[in-house]
Amino acid sequence: MSLTTPRAGASASPLASSLTKVTMPALTEMKRQGKPISALTAYDYATARLADEAGIDLLLVGDSLAMVVMGHDNTLAVTVDEMLHHTRAVRRAVRRALVVADMPFGSYHGTVAEGVANAVRFVKEAGAEAVKIEGPRFELVEALTEAEIPVVGHLGLTPQSVNRMGGYRVQAKTAEAVRKLTADAMALAHAGAGLIVLEGVPREAAAQITARLPVPTIGIGAGPDCDGQILVFHDLVNLTFAPAAKFVRRYADAGALFRSAIERYREDVEHRAFPADAESYHLSEGERRGLGLEPERETDEADAVVNRDAQEWGS
Ligand code: KIV
């Protein structure tokens, strides 16, 4: 092994500095130390970069992108190639967070060998550092672990099972179901899963599983007692078009912000108020004269680049 290009701030000790790369073992260490793990979905370069720079520990390229980015009614339609495309964009943005790719519906529901082959693509072709799979698939988790691919399990309300569940419903609502969920979580950890997402389960169930499990739990609609929390980015900033679920907290109204910015832009275009002269490039005085144009401007300072990419867009 040869470490030829370590990132600035890289260090041998997990959690030693804010730029230390987050790894699966570092997340287990956070559980041991009682430090809450922050996780968020990300699907593109800009938002992944913002989330990474804000110190989010884990970024999941969730198959929820089928709904919030692609506009499907559920997560079932998104393909491996589409997930790879988004995972690559996120990977390019991230320096610190652990990048986890969601395996889409159909990519691990056949043979174990097919599941492993698809998971390898996420690591090899997109730079994912772990893959997430839904349901109690112990044999597959063992095979992925054997293939050196870290696994995030996902139990409770598993959206890829929407047709079997008959909708998105809170799971494990009886003592017997909580016992089964706990046994599944323990078996997934035993098979090698390094992290388990618990979605849409009663707080009491998540608390019991979190207390028993040797690996961290990340909750979404599973109450505050998990080792960490995850939300869908578009829910967090209100870029969705439906009422929020009970467990969602909106931290910003990007929908309203974007809508107003876009409307103001349209009005400016319609009233010829955009672009202004100061937002335009100009010929030099000499060239203006050559075209028989009046000298209108004192200097060429107004050509100063207003764009962020001075190199590319210099006048
Ligand atoms: O796809 C997704 O966004 C997820 C999270 C809700 C955990 O699986």
Side-chain angles (χ1 to χ4, degrees), residues 232-240 249-256:
V232 168
F233 175 80
H234 289 58
D235 286 339
L236 181 97
V237 298
N238 194 21
L239 274 178
T240 56
R249 189 180 295 177
R250 302 251 197 242
Y251 284 85
D253 194 350

Side-chain angles (χ1 to χ4, degrees), residues 180-199:
K180 160 91 170 75
L181 191 68
T182 307
D184 284 349
M186 296 295 284
L188 276 184
H190 187 70
L195 208 67
I196 304 220
V197 169
L198 294 174
E199 177 166 358

